[in-house]
Amino acid sequence: MDIHDWSKSGNIAIWRYEPKAKNFPGWHMSCDSEGYKCLNELLSVFLDAEPMKKRTLVLDTPDPYIASSTLKKTMQNKLVIVKSSNVSQWLLTDDCGKLKLDIGSGKIAELMDGVNDALAGKYDFSVGATNGQNLWFW
C-alpha cells in the first residue's frame, strides 16, 4: 500500500495541556480502537517507505473526560508525519495547531509498540523522547 492510499478511520486526538505545566510535558494522544488500528496500519506503511515521505491526518477533538478533564487542553488540528532518513529521529514541532512528527524507522517501531500497548488497554505512559518531546497515551 502507498502512503497516499491509506485513509483514516476511527478517532485520533492529540492535545497539549495549558499552561505547559512541568507535570504534563509533551503531547497527549487518545484514540478509539479503530483509530489505533488504522494509525498502526499507516505506521506500518511508513516503515517500508522511502525517507521524506509524508502524510497529513486530520485529528479529532479529544474526549473531555480523558486524562485530567479539569485541565485546559489545546487541541492539535492536524498531524503531519514525515519519515526521516535518521533511524533514531523523533522531533515533534507545533505550527499553529498542526503537529509535525519527523520520525525515523527505529522510532516508528517504538511508536507502533506504544499504539499496540494502548490498544491492549495500557494507558498513562509515553514514547518518543523526553523534555517535552514525548507522546503520552491515555
Side-chain angles (χ1 to χ4, degrees), residues 20-32:
K20 295 179 183 89
K22 65 181 179 178
N23 292 341
F24 300 99
W27 281 264
H28 305 264
M29 172 186 275
S30 179
C31 303
D32 60 13

Side-chain angles (χ1 to χ4, degrees), residues 40-59:
N40 248 0
E41 180 182 273
L42 175 61
L43 293 171
S44 177
V45 174
F46 263 106
L47 271 177
D48 297 327
E50 295 294 318
M52 302 313 296
K53 288 285 189 174
K54 70 179 182 177
R55 180 64 195 227
T56 301
L57 291 72
V58 174
L59 298 172

Side-chain angles (χ1 to χ4, degrees), residues 57-71:
L57 291 72
V58 174
L59 298 172
D60 300 293
T61 302
D63 183 322
Y65 299 104
I66 298 286
S68 301
S69 62
T70 60
L71 298 174

